[in-house]
Amino acid sequence: MGPTQDHDDVRQGAAMGDVISLEQRRSARLAITERGPSRMRVTFYFDLASPFTYLAAERVDRLFPALTWRPALTEALHAGDPLSAGVDREAAQQAAEERATLLHMPLVWPDTFPSGARVAMRVAALAASEGARAAPFVLAASRLAFCGGFDLDDPEVLAEAAAAAGLGLPEVLAAAGDRSRDGEMEATALRLLAQGANRLPVLRVGRTLFCGEHRIAEAAAAIRRRPRVESPTQVPNAG
């Protein structure tokens, strides 16, 4: 099953950049693991509706071999407030475009942006519950959304991402309609909010939170230093 030809024609003019292939990703993960991975626990909290998840996913998957992937809802983290205003959406889009240019990554806005990808996030929760399925699902889904400009809640597009992760269609369909997963993802975001997080994605390294895609390098440095932190602490944002 693939995207329609008409949609492909529309997106052909999009600028392309350096996106790591799945085979390259697996090779990089193996090389890092063989060098001796840190025993410090690392968790990546993401929302597929956010372009910053797309910009971060490739790098965190390569930098942190034992990464745990956890879906969280942006609207819960922000208490349904700052990103609801049009001016803030425009600022977020501009910031994402600037980061994409800096990272030499393509960025195509889905026609449905900034609406959420709630159905896709329910499937992400399913993938996360199966451990190794999470990374390939998030990578495929975020690429389809922000590299291809597709609506993740479209059943055909969602099936593409699920197939990349080896998820069975019956399980995917059941998860897509399971509204109880929304509460779990909202609770995850609210816990992050209580611990000082103010944006997604978030990397938790041990007990320290690194908020925002632009904090990935600092999180990787924290792994190398293996700091001892007694309580969850938000690393100051650059702006």
Side-chain angles (χ1 to χ4, degrees):
M1 184 185 305
T4 65
Q5 183 63 44
D6 289 343
H7 204 156
D8 284 344
D9 292 342
V10 171
R11 305 301 178 185
Q12 278 181 346
M16 297 301 292
D18 301 326
V19 179
I20 304 301
S21 71
L22 292 179
E23 185 58 37
Q24 288 174 313
R25 178 182 61 79
R26 294 187 185 101
S27 298
R29 284 172 62 86
L30 178 61
I32 294 172
T33 301
E34 289 176 346
R35 291 199 297 268
S38 169
R39 287 177 291 180
M40 186 176 295
R41 182 176 179 180
V42 183
T43 303
F44 181 60
Y45 299 90
F46 64 90
D47 188 335
L48 291 172
S50 169
F52 296 101
T53 288
Y54 157 67
L55 294 175
E58 302 276 359
R59 285 176 292 147
V60 298
D61 189 49
R62 286 182 283 124
L63 288 170
F64 307 100
L67 188 66
T68 298
W69 300 70
R70 292 286 303 276
L73 298 180
T74 297
E75 57 262 41
L77 182 65
H78 291 283
D81 183 23
L83 294 184
S84 62
V87 62
D88 294 304
R89 289 199 301 269
E90 292 175 4
Q93 285 185 263
Q94 181 177 351
E97 290 168 357
E98 291 173 354
R99 288 295 295 169
T101 298
L102 183 65
L103 295 167
H104 304 288
M105 293 179 67
L107 178 59
V108 179
W109 295 105
D111 294 335
T112 56
F113 188 85
S115 64
R118 184 62 60 88
V119 173
M121 284 291 282
R122 293 170 189 163
V123 179
L126 169 66
S129 72
E130 298 190 14
R133 307 286 189 192
F137 179 78
V138 175
L139 288 169
S142 60
R143 286 179 180 183
L144 284 166
F146 294 103
C147 190
F150 296 103
D151 176 8
L152 284 181
D153 283 349
D154 182 304
E156 291 191 3
V157 176
L158 185 57
E160 291 261 354
L167 293 169
L169 186 57
E171 292 79 11
V172 168
L173 293 175
D178 186 0
R179 294 178 179 272
S180 68
R181 295 180 182 274
D182 297 354
E184 297 172 5
M185 294 185 290
E186 180 178 6
T188 296
L190 291 175
R191 284 193 294 270
L192 291 172
L193 180 65
Q195 294 165 5
N198 63 356
R199 69 183 71 184
L200 287 174
V202 169
L203 271 165
R204 181 192 296 275
V205 177
R207 296 184 178 181
T208 304
L209 300 184
F210 295 83
C211 304
E213 169 273 330
H214 58 296
R215 291 292 164 226
I216 293 175
E218 292 183 29
I223 285 286
R224 291 192 294 269
R225 293 193 301 268
R226 296 189 180 185
R228 296 180 180 178
V229 182
E230 297 301 325
S231 58
T233 303
Q234 179 187 348
V235 172
N237 293 311

